């Protein structure tokens, strides 16, 4: 009988912590709904004490999302644990995930504590969390560099205190697959009460080995993996969910002792949604979800695939839900069909949003012959995410061409006021951004910029994704239009609106994991 590997998704916590990946509450809700459709077992929704925004997001996810267990992160302090519970208590099923570093480097330099104090803090935290729930996870941070004797002692004691999941993080992505696999085997051999808890792993990708390490851990008895969509996360990221899941599925011959419950057909959509929400583009050749992952370019490969797919294809694009680009609706489609399709795609729009979305759909259908799922996702995504926007683009005019200094004229609404400014730049996008900066008085430095066609065809919607640096704060933004300069201006303004909103929320700044 094959055992289940619990998929613990930390996209909204560890993933969201990475620069440029921050999401507002509506965006997190949308991601959480999609993670539930993907059928992950646990959603780590955030770190409730880190900021008011994090707290509210965890609380809303706990209130709405049914199915997966909702987890919240907490250090070992009473305040952290209580705050996590405050946010999580509404969930159908919830987990408090508490952690403290155990490696000598962290204990000595970061925590400035003794090992005895760390052990005591860990035990007390688990006991406190157990007063709130019987689902408590403990992580000895930097376990990958912790002395084995101390690691085993901590694990044994926290299990006695009531921890039901023990998570082994390779926090700095330092270990090598056979070393990490061996660590898991040693823990299983040396901790006498280890069978009373689920053994989990959490691997970072600094050496590009996070997925390999996670698979080695499964081979040695780990039955939960912590991972993120597209592998986003601190520094080089976390282990990528889609890679782990598809490795287990594709190599059933080697992994016949385990399975996951992930609906793999939802993988591609989840990956795309995350890119849309954060602006973090997936590299073209990324395994499973990269643009080229199923593209056969070399003639010899194409020839092979045409004769027999198995020659170069170890899994099908359909198995991750990638056959899309389906023509779904046309100019004559009615409101009913439109609403149905949006619901199938997982969007929950209010009546008012639906009216606006339908109007935009009709406008688009007038400009563009064929409407695909991706077009609908852009329209609905924009509306279902629309937070109260401080600034909205009313008008954009561009003068440009060979030998002309590109100049943009922009009109922006803020409340009842409409302000107009012009700007020049090396290109039309820069000119538009300069004009926007002058109007808002919130200058940003463009760190990343990309534009892509959402679907095929010259008339496709262009989707611009930007990451902007506002005084050291990296904020992503997105915008779409059949006019790419307008899409670019909207994306920039979207980032400005997020920074306005963020600055409005009181940050309870604290030291993160
Ligand atoms: O990388 C890490 O150690 C973590 C822990 C909080 C699990 O993210
Ligand atoms: Zn981590």
């Amino acid at each position: 009988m094959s055992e289940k590997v619990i998929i613990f998704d930390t996209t909204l916590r560890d993933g969201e912590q990475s620069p440029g990946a921050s999401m507002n509450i509506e965006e997190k809700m949308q991601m959480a709904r999609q993670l539930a459709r993907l059928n992950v077992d646990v959603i780590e929704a955030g770190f409730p004490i880190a900021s008011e925004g994090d707290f509210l997001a965890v609380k809303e996810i706990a209130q709405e999302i049914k199915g997966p267990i909702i987890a919240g992160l907490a250090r070992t302090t009473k305040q952290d644990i209580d705050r996590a519970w405050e946010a999580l208590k509404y969930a159908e099923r919830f987990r408090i995930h508490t952690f403290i570093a155990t490696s000598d480097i962290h204990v000595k330099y970061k925590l400035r504590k003794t090992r005895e104090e760390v052990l005591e803090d860990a035990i007390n935290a688990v006991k406190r969390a157990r007063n709130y729930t019987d689902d408590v996870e403990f992580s000895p941070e930097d376990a990958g560099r912790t002395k084995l004797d101390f690691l085993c002692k901590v694990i044994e004691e926290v299990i006695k205190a009531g921890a039901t999941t023990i998570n082994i993080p390779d926090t700095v992505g330092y270990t090598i697959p056979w070393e990490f696999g061996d660590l898991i085997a040693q823990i299983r051999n040396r901790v006498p009460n280890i069978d009373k808890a689920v053994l989990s792993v959490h691997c970072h990708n600094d050496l590009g080995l996070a997925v390999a390490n996670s698979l080695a851990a499964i081979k040695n008895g780990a039955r939960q993996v912590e991972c993120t969509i597209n592998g986003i996360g601190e520094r080089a990221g976390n282990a990528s969910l889609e890679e782990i899941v598809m490795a287990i599925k594709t190599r059933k011959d080697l992994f016949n002792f385990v399975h996951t419950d992930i609906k793999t057909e939802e993988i591609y959509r989840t990956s795309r949604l995350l890119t849309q929400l954060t602006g973090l583009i997936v590299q073209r050749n990324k395994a499973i979800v990269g643009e080229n992952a199923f593209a056969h370019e070399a003639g010899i490969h194409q020839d092979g695939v045409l004769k027999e797919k198995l020659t170069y294809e170890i899994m099908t694009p359909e198995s991750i839900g990638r056959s899309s680009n389906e023509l779904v609706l046309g100019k004559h489609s009615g409101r009913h069909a439109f609403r149905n399709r949006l619901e199938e795609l997982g969007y929950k729009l209010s009546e008012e949003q639906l009216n606006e979305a339908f109007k935009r759909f009709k406008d688009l259908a007038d400009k563009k012959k064929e409407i695909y799922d991706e077009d609908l996702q852009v329209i609905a995504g924009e509306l279902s995410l629309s937070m109260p926007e401080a600034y909205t683009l009313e008008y954009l005019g561009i003068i440009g061409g060979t030998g002309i200094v590109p100049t943009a004229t922009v009109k922006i609404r803020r409340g009842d006021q409409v302000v107009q400014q012009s700007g020049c730049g090396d290109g039309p996008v820069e000119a538009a951004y300069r004009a926007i900066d002058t109007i808002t008085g919130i200058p940003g430095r463009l760190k990343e910029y990309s534009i892509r066609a959402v679907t095929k065809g010259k008339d496709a919607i262009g989707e611009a994704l930007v990451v902007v640096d506002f005084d050291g704060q990296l904020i992503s933004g997105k915008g779409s239009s059949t006019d790419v300069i307008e899409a670019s201006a909207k994306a920039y303004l979207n980032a400005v609106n997020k920074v306005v909103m963020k600055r409005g929320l009181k940050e309870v700044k604290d030291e993160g994991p």
Side-chain angles (χ1 to χ4, degrees):
M1 246 286 272
S2 101
E3 291 177 44
K4 170 164 158 160
V5 173
I6 297 166
I7 299 295
F8 178 114
D9 180 277
T10 184
T11 307
L12 294 173
R13 199 279 296 170
D14 217 345
E16 209 254 351
Q17 260 171 236
S18 59
S22 64
M23 290 175 244
N24 63 37
I25 295 186
E26 243 329 297
E27 290 168 332
K28 286 186 186 175
M29 287 309 299
Q30 199 171 342
M31 194 64 207
R33 287 184 202 119
Q34 180 57 29
L35 289 171
R37 276 193 291 274
L38 181 64
N39 211 26
V40 304
D41 300 289
V42 186
I43 295 176
E44 187 164 49
F47 186 17
I49 204 158
S51 72
E52 212 172 306
D54 246 43
F55 177 86
L56 292 175
V58 176
K59 182 173 161 191
E60 280 200 28
I61 290 172
Q63 281 171 328
E64 184 189 308
I65 303 296
K66 308 287 173 232
I69 294 169
I70 310 300
L73 187 68
R75 289 165 303 186
T76 50
T77 64
K78 289 179 184 155
Q79 296 87 322
D80 273 46
I81 308 249
D82 294 355
R83 191 78 175 142
W85 174 72
E86 284 289 335
L88 290 165
K89 63 185 177 193
Y90 307 91
E92 214 172 50
R93 293 185 298 157
F94 71 87
R95 173 180 299 180
I96 297 180
H97 175 194
T98 183
F99 75 99
I100 189 164
T102 49
S103 67
D104 287 344
I105 300 175
H106 279 234
V107 170
K108 186 171 166 200
Y109 296 108
K110 186 179 88 172
L111 300 176
R112 302 207 169 128
K113 292 194 176 215
T114 62
R115 281 185 174 182
E116 290 65 36
E117 287 168 327
V118 165
L119 179 59
E120 197 185 323
D121 287 355
I123 294 170
N124 289 338
V126 170
K127 285 188 177 158
R128 191 171 186 92
R130 275 302 298 247
N131 290 331
Y132 293 128
T133 170
D134 55 12
D135 190 346
V136 175
E137 174 167 330
F138 174 78
S139 291
E141 192 190 3
D142 203 18
R145 292 189 300 171
T146 299
K147 294 281 184 310
L148 189 61
D149 282 350
F150 183 54
L151 184 61
C152 290
K153 173 84 184 149
V154 173
I155 296 173
E156 185 181 345
E157 293 305 323
V158 294
I159 294 176
K160 279 190 203 154
T164 46
T165 299
I166 297 296
N167 178 45
I168 306 300
D170 180 16
T171 303
V172 289
Y174 180 67
T175 63
I176 301 295
W178 56 87
E179 178 192 19
F180 195 63
D182 193 47
L183 173 64
I184 299 303
Q186 298 255 27
I187 291 170
R188 287 184 73 213
N189 287 334
R190 291 174 61 156
V191 177
N193 52 0
I194 195 68
D195 56 320
K196 302 222 160 31
V198 173
L199 196 48
S200 164
V201 290
H202 174 114
C203 298
H204 280 269
N205 205 29
D206 300 65
L207 293 173
L209 294 170
V211 170
N213 285 344
S214 306
L215 296 176
I218 292 172
K219 174 104 172 78
N220 284 281
R223 288 297 175 265
Q224 174 176 286
V225 282
E226 301 198 351
C227 41
T228 60
I229 301 298
N230 298 344
I232 67 164
E234 286 280 12
R235 306 179 307 279
N238 288 62
S240 128
L241 180 149
E242 60 277 9
E243 291 178 25
I244 294 174
V245 168
M246 291 312 284
I248 293 174
K249 183 170 169 148
T250 308
R251 295 308 308 272
K252 289 203 263 305
D253 53 332
L254 296 179
F255 284 101
N256 53 10
F257 54 100
V258 285
H259 65 274
T260 76
D261 283 348
I262 292 296
K263 288 194 183 130
T264 61
E265 295 76 15
E266 291 289 334
I267 284 179
Y268 191 57
R269 184 182 297 167
T270 316
S271 162
R272 286 287 312 131
L273 178 65
L274 183 65
T275 297
Q276 266 200 356
L277 297 178
T278 59
L280 291 180
I281 308 277
V282 167
Q283 82 201 47
R284 282 187 96 80
N285 61 331
K286 156 99 174 60
I288 320 291
V289 292
E291 204 63 21
N292 291 356
F294 293 90
H296 303 281
E297 192 66 33
I300 197 165
H301 288 201
Q302 287 176 347
D303 179 55
V305 170
L306 286 175
K307 286 176 178 148
E308 169 54 64
K309 279 191 172 181
L310 284 175
T311 49
Y312 288 99
E313 212 169 78
I314 60 165
M315 61 198 148
T316 63
E318 289 78 13
S319 64
I320 62 151
R322 209 173 162 166
S323 55
S324 63
N325 256 11
E326 258 173 68
L327 179 62
V328 282
L329 296 173
K331 192 171 166 158
H332 303 294
S333 304
R335 204 182 131 86
H336 188 65
F338 178 73
R339 179 206 288 264
N340 273 356
R341 188 61 199 155
L342 285 184
E343 277 172 9
E344 278 163 23
L345 289 172
Y347 291 97
K348 254 177 64 178
L349 301 186
S350 67
E351 213 45 42
E352 200 186 326
Q353 286 170 325
L354 190 75
N355 290 341
E356 178 59 26
F358 190 60
K359 191 171 148 290
R360 291 191 195 184
F361 160 69
K362 286 286 180 185
D363 287 349
L364 185 66
D366 276 340
K367 289 189 202 147
K368 196 173 177 293
K369 279 190 248 76
E370 298 166 326
I371 306 276
Y372 298 97
D373 273 353
E374 283 83 350
D375 295 313
L376 298 184
Q377 275 165 331
V378 169
I379 295 176
E382 274 185 356
L383 285 163
S384 65
L385 297 179
S386 57
M387 38 172 190
E389 300 231 295
Y391 299 102
T392 46
L393 184 69
E394 290 258 310
Y395 167 85
L396 172 70
I398 298 286
I399 302 172
T402 316
I404 298 173
V405 177
T407 308
T409 302
V410 173
K411 274 192 207 168
I412 287 179
R413 172 176 292 280
R414 176 158 204 183
D416 298 334
Q417 265 195 327
V418 177
V419 183
Q420 176 174 322
Q421 277 292 347
S422 296
C424 300
D426 280 341
V429 173
E430 193 191 14
Y433 289 2
R434 287 219 170 124
I436 293 173
D437 281 352
T438 314
I439 295 174
T440 61
I442 309 175
R445 278 194 23 234
L446 190 65
K447 299 286 285 187
E448 281 170 38
Y449 171 87
S450 72
I451 185 112
R452 68 169 204 121
V454 173
T455 55
K456 291 176 287 195
K458 290 191 185 125
D459 56 358
I461 291 187
E463 183 182 58
L465 299 170
V466 296
V467 177
V468 188
D469 183 341
F470 295 98
D471 277 340
Q473 241 185 339
L474 292 184
I475 308 279
S476 64
K478 64 173 182 303
S480 54
S481 166
T482 44
D483 173 337
V484 292
I485 311 295
E486 187 179 306
S488 308
K490 282 183 173 170
Y492 189 78
L493 208 54
N494 181 238
V496 172
N497 281 323
K498 284 187 189 172
V499 87
V500 170
M501 185 150 152
K502 232 181 157 80
R503 288 178 186 172
L505 269 182
K506 188 174 139 280
E507 293 274 323
V508 187
K509 253 280 135 285
D510 226 325
E511 176 201 335

